[in-house]
Amino acid sequence: MGDCAERLDDGLTVRHGRNDIPPACILTLTGTAEAWNAEALAGHFERTAAEGTALVVDLSGLLFGGWDLVGLLLHARTQRPVVLVGPLGAHLAGRLALTGAGALFAVAPSIAEALAVPAAP
């Protein structure tokens, strides 16, 4: 998986990247992640899972993150370490807090700092 970006027709752009040391996949989401694009977004998460490395998800450019995104993040965390890059939008932060899932993720202010977070299952 090389660096690439895909703009979905519904207002979400997903960029894939890879870091060699430490090994990690990087997903950068910009726009809106909601029920209507959840299936396509799930495909992007599945592609990163095939790499078998930690996952950094940059959500700093996300305007809205719905319940489907929360589910994808939680599922990803069962497969490998996941670190989020923020700040997180109010909608997503509220959903993570409401479910208690916010405590499961480290949130870093930049991709570089996310890559420095020790991998935790």
Side-chain angles (χ1 to χ4, degrees):
M1 175 178 64
D3 286 2
C4 65
E6 177 183 356
R7 178 161 174 76
L8 305 178
D9 290 336
D10 49 18
L12 178 66
T13 299
V14 182
R15 183 177 194 286
H16 290 260
R18 181 183 307 155
N19 193 70
D20 292 327
I21 300 175
C25 287
I26 301 166
L27 274 183
T28 302
L29 309 181
T30 55
T32 302
E34 188 48 278
W36 61 80
N37 54 24
E39 186 176 335
L41 185 55
H44 289 280
F45 274 83
E46 289 169 13
R47 285 175 50 196
T48 67
E51 294 283 318
T53 62
L55 176 62
V56 172
V57 185
D58 183 352
L59 303 168
S60 62
L62 197 65
L63 301 174
F64 182 86
W67 287 110
D68 293 289
L69 177 58
V70 172
L72 290 169
L73 293 170
L74 288 170
H75 180 70
R77 191 178 179 283
T78 67
Q79 301 172 324
R80 61 209 181 273
V82 177
V83 179
L84 308 180
V85 175
L88 303 180
H91 289 100
L92 181 58
R95 285 172 169 77
L96 290 172
L98 182 65
T99 60
L104 300 175
F105 297 98
V107 180
S110 69
I111 291 173
E113 291 180 61
L115 290 168
V117 172

